[in-house]
Amino acid sequence: MNAAAEELDPVGLSDAAPESLWTKGLYKFRRDRVGMWSFAVVLLYVGIALGVWLGFWATGWADLAGGKWEPVSGAHWFGTNIIGQDIFDRAIYSTKTSFEVGLVVAVLATALGAILGAIAGFFSGSWLDELILWLMGVLDSIPFLLFVAAIAYTLQSIPEISKYSMHIAMIVTFWITAGRLVRGEVIKLKEMEYVDAAHALGVPEYTIIFRHILPNTAHILLVQATITFVAAIKSEVILSFLGLGVKDSMSWGLMISESSQEVLAGFFNNFLAASVLLFGLVMAFNLFSDALQDALDPRTVAD
Amino acid sequence: MRLLLLLLVSLLAACGNEQGEDSDTAGLRVYHHSSDGAPTSLDPVQAATLYANLIVVNAYDTLYSYKYLERPYALKPNLAAAMPEVSGDGLTYTIKLKRGVHFIDDPAFDGGKGREVTTADVVYSILRHFDPETRPQGAWLWQGRVAGLEEWKAAGPDYDRLPDGLEIVDDYTLRIHLLQPYPQLLYTLAMGYSGVVPREAVEAYGREFGLRPVGSGPFRVVRYDTEKLIFEPNLNWRWEPVDLAAEGFDPATQGFTGIEVLDGQRPPFVDRFEISFIKESAARWNSFTKGNEIQYAGVPVELVDRVLASKDPVSLAPEYEALYQVRSDIEAGFVYSAFNMDMEFGTDPDPQQNERNRALRCAMIKGFDWERRNDSFYVNLGKVFPGVIPPVVPEYDPDASVDSVTRDVAGARQLLAANGWTPETLPTMVYGTVGSVRSRQFYEQFRAWMMEIGFPREKIVLREFATFGDLNKRWRESQLPLISAGWGLDYPDAENTLQLFYGPNKAPGSNSSNYNNPEYDALFEQAAVMLPSPERTKIYRRMNQMVIDDCVAITGLSRTRISVWHREVLMYPDTSIVGGFFFPFVALQDEKGLRLAPEPTPEVN
């Protein structure tokens, strides 16, 4: 290493020096202890959810495994509920529900936001941009819970779809933030030279948008997806608590809802089990999301 | 600083106003009741719920009412001057009205002064049930029973043209002509549906009449919204001295209430009657135990073990005993789940398939665990019984076989296997219910039991509805395979539950199960015209057995209601048949005894 290089790379990392935003981000993320711990907790939850999905555990969540309100024991780690169902099984099973809702909503809402945001950004100032911005404003102005209730009511005559009314409402609501972020980024990116070059070469506009510009917003989308994931999980619990959410399955929200009657009788197991698991996942995902945001922020990634 | 002072003064003034409300009632005898639901209308033609009935029978007069304390329940004249004269063939009822009964003063009347109630008002009030404009819900009580009503309706409602069956003999005499004997007629005239309304007020207020009651009942409504209803006594009502013996007082079972002191005293015993509508049981309980916010409540199921020292007989734990009175009464009704016999597992023209379907229904009945349902949700205070004749009616058979309410999982599995039912061939059961935590728990418990007899989990499907109205609509349209419901008796006669399975009442009528058994129907028609007798009871029980043998319903359980009230309140509340008819007898006491109205101060000339 010559002197000039030494000046630029005083700690001698130039051989392994990350080049792209992603490798730089990964490098930075791995050095974030809180981020790594939270990621480990998220992975643990993923493992639990996968185990449920594959039928390794919590298969008896709907069975009457014991008597009414049995206390914590070897047979029932979190006790049983009013009809004798095992609270541990139900709490574990609910992890899968949370991940299902979180993933479906995060992926679809982010994708929708990316597409509409990119179109609005690329054609900024046009009627198309105005239309999408108007749509965002309208949807943003509807109170979320009322919106879910309205969708649930509208879809109730179609049972096959009505059970997804919560998902639909969340996707229709949550894409907006991603859309606004992507729109702003695309407005910036479309002025870049490589886009001008693509134009000059006669590349069709949709190819420029989706092949050349959109991939460069991936770091925003990834962070936004994790934020949406957490928001979806929290919303699912709230909506299920209110009776607007999960129907034919189990959820922490339903468990907390059940407990609202049981606490009068001094029985807190449902409440504690659901709350602790929900808290753990939301907290871990929030920290993970923060760490990811820090790691992928282009302004700080070179630090 | 001045602004701050001004704000402070304004705030204090506002607080003063709040206290001012209390000072309005200072010195008054105020009773604070509570109800777990609010009526949506106080119009008698829409008094379909217990909540509405509770209020309507106090704002309006009915021809008959229930004796306050008599058990089994017994009727007594209310607006009627006496019990009716019934013709020998049971087809004509002549009812005399009390004279001098007036509606409350209201701007709807000439000069704002309430006029006298006459026979024409009684007839008008019944006819309103056959006028679609009023959105009535009680026509079924008289349809096909009272002569000429259907023709009157078909010809278009014209209140100046009377049907043959409702004859106004004079201003104080009504004659009812029936198409066939109807032993339950008098019960229908003690229901909120038959509350007597003045035509002037109905026409003056239109749809708003349901919010502005104008009746001749013991109380007048001074406030009504979704949170609270306030009654004040109608001082022009016939407040006769209390005759406990005539009301059926039984010192052995009712003496604990201390109501003996009311004997011979003239009501009203309260100056203001406030009813808070509090749906959440926990909130009601908190309100009840917090001073005198409310003085009457039910004990939430979750608190029964903490509040009660004993369940049989019901008694309070010592810390509550000193403060409150308690009584339990078994509901006049029951909970059950009926199969929709028009569905694929119901009646089938192919005898072999029909038998197979019956086996499936019977297996599901065997799989249902009533004892556990009673333990989970009714703290073992409910009464499980076979069939559809609940314990509260005299026709109930305490010696009937309990096989149909005894769980037998092995028997159920065997029955399914013997009839070729496998997890693949079993039908999907959509369990429709109103969206709530408790309903969901009912469903989950039911699903678990059905899974234990062989149903795959995905074949017991939950379908939630936002309101009972939505769910009821699906039942009426015969769209759901299971009808999981509670039925409150309209009157203490098993006919009222047996009609739930009478063929001609099929959906959209009250027979949501669409059970159609000609033999059952013939027996129902035979019994319908009979007065209470051992022979009629025998027929009722035979019909009950048919419902059990045909495996039409998973039934049943009558819930026990536990009422608690503050010790300073003197009353014997009844949550079902007597309902709101006990309100005029409610009294308050203090350390000096019964709180009577202060003597009027003599005017000095």
Side-chain angles (χ1 to χ4, degrees):
Chain A
M1 189 181 291
N2 61 32
E6 200 170 313
E7 253 176 47
L8 290 171
D9 187 13
V11 288
L13 290 172
S14 62
D15 289 347
E19 293 301 323
S20 73
L21 175 73
W22 293 104
T23 45
K24 283 180 185 172
L26 180 65
Y27 174 74
K28 191 170 177 194
F29 183 78
R30 286 172 62 183
R31 290 171 60 174
D32 184 337
R33 189 171 289 183
V34 175
M36 287 302 287
W37 271 110
S38 58
F39 184 53
V41 175
V42 169
L43 281 182
L44 177 68
Y45 275 93
V46 171
I48 292 172
L50 270 177
V52 175
W53 192 68
L54 295 169
F56 290 157
W57 43 69
T59 49
W61 66 275
D63 300 341
L64 306 182
K68 177 182 179 180
W69 288 335
E70 281 187 19
V72 171
S73 67
H76 306 293
W77 292 0
F78 290 169
T80 61
N81 67 6
I82 191 168
I83 58 174
Q85 293 166 318
D86 187 282
I87 292 175
F88 178 76
D89 266 6
R90 291 164 75 77
I92 292 294
Y93 188 89
S94 301
T95 313
K96 175 190 148 230
T97 307
S98 282
F99 268 84
E100 272 176 4
V101 175
L103 277 176
V104 168
V105 173
V107 169
L108 294 181
T110 310
L112 188 65
I115 293 166
L116 292 179
I119 292 171
F122 191 79
F123 299 108
S124 61
S126 72
W127 67 269
L128 198 57
D129 181 35
E130 289 291 322
L131 181 72
I132 293 170
L133 283 176
W134 172 83
L135 189 65
M136 287 175 177
V138 169
L139 292 174
D140 243 355
S141 64
I142 304 173
F144 178 59
L145 291 178
L146 289 182
F147 191 50
V148 179
I151 289 183
Y153 187 79
T154 313
L155 297 178
Q156 69 177 357
S157 55
I158 319 166
E160 296 76 25
I161 300 180
S162 71
K163 59 184 173 186
Y164 298 113
S165 54
M166 170 183 65
H167 301 71
I168 293 169
M170 282 196 229
I171 292 165
V172 171
T173 310
F174 290 168
W175 70 270
I176 296 166
T177 315
R180 287 192 199 284
L181 290 170
V182 170
R183 179 179 174 274
E185 188 69 10
V186 171
I187 289 173
K188 192 176 81 185
L189 290 175
K190 75 173 184 178
E191 303 299 332
M192 305 280 279
E193 286 175 357
Y194 74 93
V195 178
D196 286 341
H199 275 300
L201 288 170
V203 179
E205 283 180 331
Y206 71 90
T207 311
I208 297 176
I209 297 171
F210 295 112
R211 188 170 294 174
H212 298 291
I213 297 180
L214 205 52
N216 285 308
T217 63
H219 61 291
I220 294 175
L221 294 176
L222 184 65
V223 172
Q224 188 53 34
T226 59
I227 293 170
T228 306
F229 186 93
V230 177
I233 287 175
K234 286 194 288 189
S235 300
E236 179 273 304
V237 171
I238 294 167
L239 292 172
S240 296
F241 175 80
L242 295 174
L244 294 167
V246 169
K247 301 286 179 201
D248 242 359
S249 185
M250 193 21 66
S251 142
W252 292 324
L254 289 174
M255 292 175 70
I256 293 171
S257 182
E258 267 184 25
S259 72
S260 62
Q261 296 189 337
E262 295 172 345
V263 289
L264 260 187
F267 188 81
F268 298 92
N269 296 24
N270 252 325
F271 175 74
L272 287 175
S275 304
V276 167
L277 283 174
L278 172 67
F279 176 78
L281 180 59
V282 171
M283 180 63 110
F285 233 106
N286 269 332
L287 293 172
F288 170 60
S289 176
D290 283 349
L292 207 58
Q293 203 165 0
D294 287 345
L296 292 176
D297 187 344
R299 288 167 298 182
T300 60
V301 77
D303 292 349
Chain B
M1 189 63 191
R2 277 186 185 175
L3 187 68
L4 203 67
L5 265 174
L6 194 68
L7 272 173
L8 191 67
V9 169
S10 312
L11 201 68
L12 284 172
C15 294
N17 281 343
E18 288 231 335
Q19 284 170 349
E21 257 193 27
D22 287 340
S23 68
D24 284 352
T25 58
L28 292 183
R29 297 167 301 170
V30 184
Y31 167 59
H32 304 272
H33 194 74
S34 74
S35 170
D36 59 2
T40 49
S41 167
L42 301 183
D43 187 340
V45 292
Q46 287 160 22
T49 63
L50 281 174
Y51 310 126
N53 224 44
L54 195 74
I55 310 298
V56 166
V57 298
N58 284 291
Y60 295 93
D61 260 329
T62 51
L63 286 172
Y64 296 94
S65 65
Y66 287 92
K67 291 184 179 177
Y68 179 24
L69 305 164
E70 185 97 30
R71 301 293 182 275
Y73 299 103
L75 290 171
K76 66 174 184 177
N78 192 21
L79 177 62
M83 296 310 278
E85 289 170 23
V86 186
S87 63
D89 58 5
L91 293 176
T92 306
Y93 283 63
T94 305
I95 299 169
K96 297 274 187 193
L97 267 61
K98 287 191 171 92
R99 290 166 185 259
V101 176
H102 285 74
F103 289 110
I104 57 170
D105 294 344
D106 190 89
F109 297 111
D110 280 344
K113 191 84 184 147
R115 63 161 175 79
E116 191 176 15
V117 179
T118 65
T119 313
D121 296 309
V122 179
V123 170
Y124 173 74
S125 303
I126 293 175
L127 287 179
R128 288 183 73 227
H129 284 277
F130 296 85
D131 178 356
E133 275 289 301
T134 63
R135 294 176 296 158
Q137 297 183 50
W140 61 274
L141 290 170
W142 303 294
Q143 195 159 5
R145 311 276 198 170
V146 176
L149 282 177
E150 278 162 74
E151 293 80 356
W152 184 86
K153 183 182 176 185
D158 175 2
Y159 292 102
D160 297 322
R161 179 180 51 78
L162 299 185
D164 300 341
L166 295 173
E167 183 189 346
I168 299 175
V169 179
D170 60 42
D171 277 356
Y172 306 104
T173 311
L174 167 68
R175 191 162 292 142
I176 300 177
H177 300 280
L178 300 174
L179 294 168
Q180 58 180 343
Y182 184 20
Q184 293 82 20
L185 176 68
L186 291 192
Y187 291 131
T188 70
L189 300 177
M191 292 167 66
Y193 282 135
S194 66
V196 180
V197 302
R199 186 170 174 178
E200 301 93 315
V202 174
E203 289 175 353
Y205 298 126
R207 284 279 160 91
E208 279 202 17
F209 182 68
L211 305 173
R212 297 187 60 162
V214 181
S216 59
F219 294 95
R220 51 192 288 274
V221 175
V222 295
R223 174 186 157 182
Y224 165 48
D225 53 45
T226 53
E227 286 179 7
K228 192 175 259 191
L229 183 139
I230 299 176
F231 271 140
E232 281 178 3
N234 171 9
L235 295 175
N236 295 322
W237 198 65
R238 49 190 180 282
W239 295 100
E240 292 153 359
V242 174
D243 180 350
L244 282 183
E247 295 296 336
F249 179 58
D250 175 11
T253 57
Q254 297 161 340
F256 75 95
T257 58
I259 55 177
E260 302 98 296
V261 297
L262 302 181
D263 203 22
Q265 300 285 355
R266 184 182 294 276
F269 302 119
V270 295
D271 304 308
R272 197 175 163 95
F273 203 111
E274 298 193 1
I275 304 169
S276 299
F277 305 122
I278 310 172
K279 192 177 177 190
E280 278 293 320
S281 60
R284 285 180 80 204
W285 184 252
N286 288 338
S287 194
F288 176 76
T289 50
K290 186 175 132 192
N292 270 350
E293 207 165 84
I294 59 170
Q295 293 163 304
Y296 167 86
V299 177
V301 170
E302 294 79 9
L303 282 181
V304 163
D305 289 330
R306 191 188 301 176
V307 173
L308 296 188
S310 146
K311 290 181 192 166
D312 190 19
V314 164
S315 67
L316 291 168
E319 64 267 37
Y320 297 106
E321 176 75 29
L323 301 169
Y324 313 129
Q325 294 276 26
V326 65
R327 81 165 285 236
S328 65
D329 62 329
I330 195 150
E331 73 169 327
F334 65 117
V335 289
Y336 69 106
S337 293
F339 296 102
N340 183 347
M341 300 294 279
D342 276 356
M343 292 274 176
E344 55 184 308
F345 48 79
T347 313
D348 197 286
D350 172 13
Q352 203 180 346
Q353 183 61 36
N354 196 44
E355 191 48 39
R356 219 174 144 243
N357 290 353
R358 194 183 81 88
L360 167 63
R361 298 191 305 270
C362 293
M364 290 177 73
I365 291 171
K366 283 178 186 291
F368 198 91
D369 192 342
W370 277 111
E371 292 305 324
R372 188 144 177 191
R373 172 62 57 99
N374 195 8
D375 175 46
S376 301
F377 300 109
Y378 309 113
V379 280
N380 283 321
L381 283 168
K383 171 81 180 164
V384 177
F385 64 93
V388 292
I389 300 182
V392 76
V393 292
E395 294 85 7
Y396 167 68
D397 181 3
D399 302 320
S401 162
V402 292
D403 285 353
S404 67
V405 286
T406 305
R407 193 167 200 234
D408 177 10
V409 175
R413 283 180 165 275
Q414 200 176 10
L415 202 54
L416 288 177
N419 286 275
W421 290 108
T422 63
E424 293 75 32
T425 59
L426 283 168
T428 297
M429 289 281 169
V430 177
Y431 188 100
T433 183
V434 178
S436 75
V437 173
R438 188 48 45 90
S439 304
R440 197 186 165 84
Q441 287 168 333
F442 283 161
Y443 156 73
E444 289 211 31
Q445 194 177 50
F446 175 76
R447 179 177 62 183
W449 289 332
M450 293 306 111
M451 282 161 60
E452 285 173 22
I453 67 167
F455 270 86
R457 188 168 63 209
E458 63 277 8
K459 287 207 168 177
I460 307 291
V461 178
L462 176 68
R463 184 145 177 225
E464 289 182 319
F465 295 88
T467 64
F468 177 74
D470 293 339
L471 174 63
N472 196 30
K473 186 165 172 270
R474 295 306 190 289
W475 288 342
R476 301 282 184 204
E477 291 169 353
S478 192
Q479 289 185 6
L480 293 170
L482 278 171
I483 296 97
S484 294
W487 181 260
L489 270 80
D490 297 295
Y491 38 79
D493 186 324
E495 183 261 3
N496 194 238
T497 57
L498 291 166
Q499 58 90 25
L500 293 172
F501 299 92
Y502 175 51
N505 283 355
K506 68 182 291 190
S510 54
N511 176 11
S512 301
S513 72
N514 299 306
Y515 179 54
N516 192 6
N517 179 343
E519 194 186 345
Y520 181 95
D521 295 347
L523 287 173
F524 184 85
E525 284 153 18
Q526 185 188 342
V529 297
M530 294 170 73
L531 287 168
S533 63
E535 195 190 344
R536 192 183 75 164
T537 300
K538 212 168 144 187
I539 295 174
Y540 278 178
R541 289 179 180 173
R542 217 172 122 202
M543 293 160 70
N544 191 46
Q545 195 56 45
M546 284 180 179
V547 173
I548 295 171
D549 292 343
D550 285 344
C551 294
V552 188
I554 306 171
T555 179
L557 179 146
S558 288
R559 296 163 289 192
T560 295
R561 312 281 194 192
I562 302 169
S563 303
V564 279
W565 63 98
H566 287 217
R567 279 193 172 274
E568 68 268 24
V569 184
L570 297 172
M571 64 177 179
Y572 189 70
D574 184 287
T575 52
S576 45
I577 296 288
V578 173
F581 285 122
F582 81 87
F583 282 12
F585 298 94
V586 174
L588 299 168
Q589 65 178 348
D590 55 21
E591 60 283 356
K592 293 181 215 151
L594 178 65
R595 286 182 64 187
L596 292 168
E599 291 293 325
T601 318
E603 284 184 22
V604 181
N605 291 319

